[in-house]
Amino acid sequence: MRPLRALAAVLAAFFGVRRGRAANVDRQLRFADLIAAAIILVALFVGGLLLLVSWLTAP
Amino acid sequence: MTAIDSALQPAHGTAPDHHAKPQGIGRWLFATNHKDIGSLYLWFAFSMFIFGGVLALCIRAELFRPGLQFWQPELFNQFTTLHGLIMVFGAIMPAFTGLANWMLPLMIGAPDMAFARMNNWSFWLLPPAALLLLLISFAVPGGAAAAGWTLYAPLSTQMGMGMDLTIFAIHIMGVSSIMGSINIIVTILNLRAPGMTMMKMPMFAWASLITAYLIIAVMPVLAGVVTMVLTDRHFGTHFFNAAGGGDPVLYQHIFWFFGHPEVYIMALPAFGIVSHIIPTFSRKPLFGYTSMVYATSSIAILSFMVWAHHMFTTGMPATAQLFFMYATMLIAVPTGVKVFNWIGTMWQGSMSFETPMLFAIGFICLFTVGGLSGVTLSIAAIDIQLQDTYYVVAHFHYVLVAGALFSLFAAVYYWFPKMTGRMYSEFWGRFHFWWSLLWFNVTFFPMHFLGLAGMPRRIPDYNMQFTDFNTLASVGAFCFGLGQLIFFANMLHSLRHGRPAAARPWEGADTLEWQIATPAPYHSFVEAPDLEVGENGRIDAMHGGKHH
Ligand code: HEM
Ligand SMILES: [Cu+2]
């Protein structure tokens, strides 16, 4: 459950909006989980964008 | 040291002699007090701002009308280059470090910066670097660096020794800002008073912390790339020399890997400052504090993934162009959310419009204009038309002058009472704001049109059809410059003769620095207070804490 919450927190950060109530729950997250979630999501972000643009420019 | 001995003093003892303020020139040369070092940084930054401003006026004088009036093209290029370098590394960055030095310990309840002596060294590295850049390099054979502040190869691999001096200056300033950042990080992570938790601490502390990490991450990249230029110039390497198997485009990749995070280094502290001033003068807590913290960190991370939007014209594959275009547009989302948060903070607040608030609102409006032209430029197809035109000059002055610089003015007016114990002149402060706002727009708004019409940047001469807007911009620039003298005079006069300030001159100000005497005691929080803190550093209760 906790790793999922870390993912949600990082996703919210990408968007720039987080509810106060959710943020209170985030406070219980472990720092390591957050870092891992951030790395995974950044990788997904870059990978997803790469897929999208290579699909768009495919002949 | 001082903090430790004084903690050993009996509770009600008066400060013995060796705790008195050091006097004379030694106070500044051997300064370890965060307030003294902060002041040194701020004065240094201001003098660099004046130097850089004079260079800008030299540029604008030449561009007042077409043809060559005053300077040879070589000298003109040196002016543009040094103007850019001095404003970025001499004015804006040191000014933010100076503010962080002054205010962070007061805002988080620390006795001083963590490494007081290193702090001294990080400041005193700056003047020699400025001397190298400013004075000496104009005097050497071939003159100062003339490759633009980006120092692109192969321009920078040619040129005279002015380029070597510039490279050396960049190394020194890089070391200085890395040491400054280490200090900021350690201070924030380790010296917060009990109760001042990370998710409660002031936005300015968050912004400074994240900026410090960015600096540590990218200044070495800049140092590396200019060192590669240096070895290309003198030691027979061919990193950027196509004839020797190198690649000049490699320079641009490395430079902008530094360069884009650098623009956030100049923007995030501004966001932090505005996130205090807007709530104070709206008499409402910051809307979406947590979101702001989250967004600031994610902006910092994502800022490493967009660098090639500066390079759309280098012949990248379409896939790469689209990648950097989309990534750039996406990073605008969390930035835009911040603007909404500030507006949400003002919404239904009981606002008043003292000078700091005016500059903060000016910041929001004009930074948004700069952000909008930025998103426009991120569209690869448009950038290919506009790259290296005055449109770009307009864009980055909206984010740097109306963004970073306005936020700095806001901060100086806001904290001036706490720093000096006196009020500035509100009339001249407001005058300074409206004057700057007017002439800033007169100077830089027409540059959008010039760019759209195709006028290239970094040229001393131009075609007849560009005359009107250039003349207008030049008049605006000189008036803008004059206005800064008003600021200077106001500060100097108020420093001595301003009306004494209350401990909390702003009704809505609720962070820790406003809980202590004004002017802030020379040694504040020699004993940490016990705090009850709300979001954005709002102090609900303070127990204990000693100063002298
Ligand atoms: C009085 C205010 C200012 C005026 C009138 C002014 C004017 C100019 C002009 C005319 C240029 C040359 C454009 C070109 O030919 O390419 C320029 C370039 C530049 N300015 Fe400013 N400027 C001002 C303040 C600032 C500030 C505060 C900053 C930084 C934070 C800044 C950063 C830059 C940079 C980075 C460049 C690019 C230099 C280059 O082309 O290498 N300027 N400015
Ligand atoms: Cu960029």
Side-chain angles (χ1 to χ4, degrees):
Chain A
M1 218 45 225
R2 217 178 33 212
L4 273 187
R5 282 223 197 93
L7 285 177
V10 175
L11 268 183
F14 280 9
F15 179 46
V17 177
R18 189 71 165 154
R19 282 171 176 285
R21 207 171 328 116
N24 278 334
V25 182
D26 290 350
R27 236 156 262 176
Q28 282 133 36
L29 290 171
R30 269 190 313 174
F31 195 63
D33 286 351
L34 275 176
I35 297 289
I39 292 174
I40 292 169
L41 282 173
V42 166
L44 280 180
F45 177 75
V46 172
L49 258 187
L50 275 177
L51 273 181
L52 174 71
V53 296
S54 42
W55 172 66
L56 282 174
T57 52
Chain B
M1 267 320 283
T2 358
I4 296 174
D5 327 38
S6 46
L8 300 175
Q9 293 296 316
H12 301 290
T14 47
D17 277 349
H18 71 275
H19 280 151
K21 257 191 210 179
Q23 295 298 320
I25 184 86
R27 167 169 176 201
W28 306 106
L29 277 180
F30 311 122
T32 50
N33 182 293
H34 71 102
K35 302 181 183 81
D36 285 349
I37 293 177
S39 303
L40 284 170
Y41 265 109
L42 289 174
W43 281 112
F44 172 81
F46 187 74
S47 56
M48 286 298 109
F49 170 63
I50 298 293
F51 271 120
V54 169
L55 292 175
L57 295 184
C58 292
I59 298 171
R60 283 319 318 172
E62 179 60 56
L63 295 176
F64 183 70
R65 53 196 188 97
L68 291 184
Q69 271 73 236
F70 299 107
W71 326 111
Q72 288 306 304
E74 292 76 16
L75 186 57
F76 182 92
N77 285 344
Q78 298 170 22
F79 287 161
T80 16
T81 305
L82 282 236
H83 163 71
L85 285 172
I86 287 173
M87 287 298 192
V88 169
F89 294 107
I92 304 289
M93 287 174 69
F96 282 132
T97 315
L99 275 180
N101 260 294
W102 240 108
M103 302 318 300
L104 279 182
L106 297 183
M107 292 179 108
I108 63 176
D112 202 307
M113 297 296 278
F115 303 118
R117 283 167 205 235
M118 184 165 87
N119 210 7
N120 173 291
W121 188 222
S122 41
F123 173 76
W124 281 108
L125 280 175
L126 287 176
L131 276 182
L132 280 181
L133 251 184
L134 262 176
L135 296 175
I136 307 178
S137 78
F138 275 110
V140 298
W149 85 281
T150 46
L151 305 176
Y152 275 7
L155 285 175
S156 52
T157 50
Q158 305 163 19
M159 290 194 185
M161 68 180 287
M163 182 58 68
D164 301 313
L165 292 179
T166 302
I167 291 172
F168 190 30
I170 288 180
H171 281 146
I172 303 177
M173 293 189 286
V175 172
S176 155
S177 50
I178 289 175
M179 294 198 307
S181 304
I182 292 174
N183 233 327
I184 289 175
I185 293 175
V186 178
T187 306
I188 295 179
L189 293 186
N190 291 332
L191 296 186
R192 279 170 291 119
M196 181 65 73
T197 59
M198 293 286 277
M199 286 312 290
K200 293 279 168 66
M201 75 181 180
M203 261 327 281
F204 182 65
W206 265 110
S208 299
L209 178 69
I210 295 171
T211 305
Y213 277 116
L214 281 181
I215 289 179
I216 290 183
V218 299
M219 288 312 283
V221 177
L222 176 67
V225 80
V226 295
T227 308
M228 289 158 87
V229 170
L230 190 75
T231 60
D232 267 16
R233 288 166 61 79
H234 297 295
F235 305 108
T237 56
H238 297 287
F239 291 115
F240 308 126
N241 177 3
D247 181 1
V249 175
L250 173 66
Y251 177 90
Q252 298 188 24
H253 278 294
I254 309 179
F255 179 86
W256 286 111
F257 189 79
F258 146 81
H260 191 81
E262 171 69 18
V263 309
Y264 285 96
I265 289 170
M266 295 188 279
L268 295 184
F271 295 170
I273 289 166
V274 169
S275 301
H276 289 288
I277 294 178
I278 297 283
T280 293
F281 295 98
S282 308
R283 293 163 181 79
K284 268 181 65 191
L286 179 68
F287 182 83
Y289 167 81
T290 330
S291 300
M292 289 285 223
V293 174
Y294 282 36
T296 310
S297 0
S298 76
I299 288 174
I301 296 172
L302 296 176
S303 75
F304 286 96
M305 271 167 277
V306 295
W307 76 91
H309 62 209
H310 297 275
M311 299 170 56
F312 285 138
T313 54
T314 53
M316 284 190 280
T319 328
Q321 295 198 12
L322 284 180
F323 177 89
F324 286 105
M325 167 175 158
Y326 293 159
T328 306
M329 292 174 146
L330 287 172
I331 200 178
V333 173
T335 315
V337 167
K338 285 180 173 254
V339 172
F340 282 109
N341 282 342
W342 294 318
I343 296 175
T345 306
M346 290 189 277
W347 186 256
Q348 296 194 328
S350 55
M351 298 206 281
S352 58
F353 300 93
E354 286 87 345
T355 311
M357 182 64 161
L358 290 177
F359 272 104
I361 296 178
F363 165 92
I364 297 177
C365 298
L366 296 179
F367 187 86
T368 307
V369 175
L372 214 63
S373 57
V375 177
T376 313
L377 284 168
S378 75
I379 301 167
I382 294 183
D383 184 74
I384 287 168
Q385 313 296 314
L386 293 181
Q387 202 257 340
D388 258 341
T389 68
Y390 257 83
Y391 192 88
V392 176
V393 178
H395 156 67
F396 67 67
H397 282 93
Y398 269 83
V399 288
L400 289 179
V401 179
L405 187 64
F406 273 26
S407 83
L408 281 164
F409 283 140
V412 169
Y413 283 114
Y414 183 58
W415 282 310
F416 185 86
K418 187 53 67 183
M419 292 174 174
T420 66
R422 293 180 182 277
M423 293 304 283
Y424 59 86
S425 153
E426 190 61 48
F427 173 83
W428 288 110
R430 288 181 197 196
F431 187 90
H432 174 219
F433 169 73
W434 289 108
W435 181 272
S436 300
L437 182 78
L438 173 69
W439 296 112
F440 168 79
N441 282 295
V442 171
T443 310
F444 292 103
F445 207 78
M447 291 187 189
H448 292 109
F449 306 135
L450 286 172
L452 288 168
M455 179 174 159
R457 70 193 268 216
R458 297 174 175 165
I459 50 161
D461 188 9
Y462 49 82
N463 278 336
M464 293 291 282
Q465 79 266 26
F466 300 130
T467 309
D468 293 350
F469 282 139
N470 268 298
T471 305
L472 191 62
S474 289
V475 171
F478 275 86
C479 292
F480 184 90
L482 267 182
Q484 309 322 307
L485 299 182
I486 299 177
F487 168 72
F488 186 48
N490 188 1
M491 292 296 113
L492 272 192
H493 185 264
S494 310
L495 211 55
R496 295 250 179 307
H497 308 289
R499 167 167 72 72
R504 196 161 65 94
W506 317 119
E507 187 191 11
D510 56 12
T511 37
L512 185 57
E513 74 273 28
W514 306 107
Q515 306 289 327
I516 63 175
T518 285
Y522 196 62
H523 296 291
S524 39
F525 297 119
V526 290
E527 218 180 87
D530 251 315
L531 302 172
E532 277 165 43
V533 189
E535 275 181 355
N536 203 18
R538 183 190 71 237
I539 302 301
D540 293 330
M542 177 170 98
H543 312 283
K546 245 187 280 160
H547 327 276
H548 53 248

